[in-house]
Structure formats: structure tokens, C-alpha cells
């Protein structure tokens, strides 16, 4: 769904169906469905970020990933997940999609498969507009890259999205570049598996 310049990705799973299939519970939630839904959401965001950096007019996203109950009815979104997302999405002082507090808790779902998130998210102290930092993870826009040359192209495209001489824009550019350099260094390319 698109709201002006905002995008909402909602992944829904049926708790009733998960119970019928006998899935294990984690804090009252169905682990396998929740785990896959969370992973799929992160993959979708990474892919979208990467595709937008491939465009003739590249875009760099700023936002957050919030998890929890969500009711969707045509164009209405209600629940704790949308409340948290609306509170946090524009707080980062840079172009990055970061995990809100509810999503950090979802990382525990991957205790038995920690490599599932390797390269998809990167630990980062997200600089906030309030002047503080929030220790969390960011979605890695280089996740879909097939080569170092493509990663370099993504980096150049991302940095080209910042224009203007204002202090606010320069601060966002610097914060984004630092995060991207970290993500770049933690990205494992397909040919590195060999």
C-alpha cells in the first residue's frame, strides 16, 4: 500500500491455521509462521531498496520495520504494529530502514538458525533526529547484489540521492554513508560461497 511517499508492507499469517498444524509457541505466538513472515518481510524490503537503487532516478528509503498485531481493511490499518511504525518511521536521521523495538524481539525467533539473517540485516546504532542513537539493526540494501561492481554502483546511486547544501541534508548524507559502508563490508556475495 502507498500513502503519499510512504509504503506499508504487511505480512499476515493465520494463528488459527498455525495452531492446527501444531506449531510451537514463542511468547504466545506461532514461531514458524511468525519467523517466516518476518524473514519474508525483510527480504522484500531489501529487494525493494535494491531495485530502487537500480532505477534511472534512484531512491533511498527511510523507515522502520514494526511487528505485531495488525488489522487491514481496504485502506485502514489498525493495531500496535502500525502505531509503532507511524511513531518511528521518520525518526532516523539518514536513509535507512531499521528494526523498531518490536522487531528486535523477533530476532530471538532465529536463535536456532542465526545464519538466516546473515547479510540481510546489519547491527547498527541508528542516529535519531533527537540527537541520540538507537542500537538495533538495519535492512541491508546490498542483499540483492551479485557482484562488488554492483555494490559500488548501488553506493554511488544511494549517495547521489542527496542534494542540497543544507546542514540537515549533509548530516543525513553522512549518516547514510556510514551505515552503507558497514552494510557493504558485511555483505556476502554469491561467489564468496565457493
Amino acid at each position: 500500500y502507498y500513502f503519499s511517499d510512504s509504503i506499508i508492507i504487511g505480512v499476515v499469517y493465520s494463528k488459527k491455521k498455525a495452531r492446527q498444524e501444531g506449531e510451537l509457541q514463542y511468547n504466545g505466538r506461532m514461531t514458524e509462521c511468525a519467523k517466516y513472515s518476518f524473514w519474508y518481510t525483510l527480504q522484500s524490503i531489501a529487494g525493494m531498496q535494491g531495485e530502487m537503487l537500480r532505477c534511472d532516478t534512484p531512491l533511498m528509503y527511510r523507515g522502520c520495520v514494526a511487528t505485531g498485531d495488525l488489522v487491514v481493511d481496504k485502506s485502514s490499518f489498525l493495531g500496535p504494529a502500525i502505531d509503532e511504525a507511524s511513531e518511528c518511521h521518520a525518526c532516523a536521521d539518514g536513509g535507512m530502514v531499521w528494526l523498531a523495538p518490536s522487531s528486535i524481539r523477533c530476532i530471538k525467533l532465529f536463535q536456532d538458525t542465526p545464519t538466516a539473517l546473515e547479510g540481510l540485516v546489519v547491527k547498527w546504532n541508528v542516529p535519531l533526529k533527537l540527537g541520540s542513537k538507537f542500537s538495533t539493526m538495519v535492512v541491508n540494501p546490498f542483499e540483492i547484489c551479485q557482484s562488488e561492481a554492483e555494490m559500488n554502483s548501488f553506493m554511488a546511486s544511494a549517495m547521489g540521492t542527496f542534494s542540497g547544501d543544507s546542514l540537515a541534508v549533509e548530516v543525513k548524507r553522512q549518516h547514510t554513508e556510514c551505515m552503507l559502508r558497514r552494510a557493504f563490508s558485511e555483505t556476502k556475495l554469491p561467489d564468496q560461497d565457493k
Side-chain angles (χ1 to χ4, degrees):
Y1 293 93
Y2 300 90
F3 291 96
S4 178
D5 62 348
S6 299
I7 300 171
I8 296 175
I9 298 174
V11 178
V12 180
Y13 68 91
S14 167
K15 291 180 184 179
K16 181 178 178 183
K17 184 178 178 189
R19 279 190 202 100
Q20 290 170 345
E21 293 174 3
E23 294 188 7
L24 300 174
Q25 291 194 9
Y26 176 81
N27 286 346
R29 305 222 183 257
M30 303 299 116
T31 57
E32 289 307 309
C33 283
K35 184 176 175 178
Y36 180 75
S37 297
F38 184 66
W39 178 85
Y40 181 80
T41 300
L42 296 176
Q43 284 285 337
S44 298
I45 293 167
M48 184 174 56
Q49 286 179 301
E51 291 301 327
M52 292 312 298
L53 291 173
R54 285 182 175 146
C55 291
D56 291 337
T57 305
L59 293 174
M60 196 65 196
Y61 288 108
R62 177 181 62 202
C64 70
V65 179
T67 58
D69 291 335
L70 175 66
V71 175
V72 179
D73 181 35
K74 294 186 183 177
S75 63
S76 297
F77 297 83
L78 302 168
I82 198 72
D83 293 344
E84 183 180 36
S86 67
E87 176 187 347
C88 297
H89 79 281
C91 290
D93 201 13
M96 56 197 78
V97 178
W98 54 283
L99 275 57
S102 62
S103 291
I104 294 171
R105 290 188 291 275
C106 287
I107 297 298
K108 292 178 184 175
L109 295 171
F110 294 87
Q111 291 178 64
D112 60 335
T113 55
T115 58
L117 297 177
E118 193 173 278
L120 181 57
V121 291
V122 177
K123 289 182 181 179
W124 191 246
N125 290 322
V126 173
L128 303 177
K129 290 180 181 178
L130 302 169
S132 57
K133 293 184 178 186
F134 179 65
S135 182
T136 184
M137 295 182 168
V138 294
V139 180
N140 186 352
F142 299 117
E143 169 67 13
I144 68 168
C145 291
Q146 298 296 308
S147 68
E148 190 169 332
E150 187 174 27
M151 289 172 62
N152 285 320
S153 174
F154 274 29
M155 179 69 93
S157 292
M159 298 321 301
T161 63
F162 294 92
S163 61
D165 296 327
S166 75
L167 178 61
V169 171
E170 183 58 24
V171 168
K172 285 178 183 62
R173 187 196 69 73
Q174 289 178 8
H175 289 162
T176 302
E177 184 175 17
C178 288
M179 180 278 297
L180 288 172
R181 290 194 184 286
R182 173 71 173 273
F184 192 105
S185 72
E186 292 193 18
T187 300
K188 188 173 185 178
L189 296 169
D191 61 348
Q192 290 177 322
D193 291 332
K194 298 174 184 174

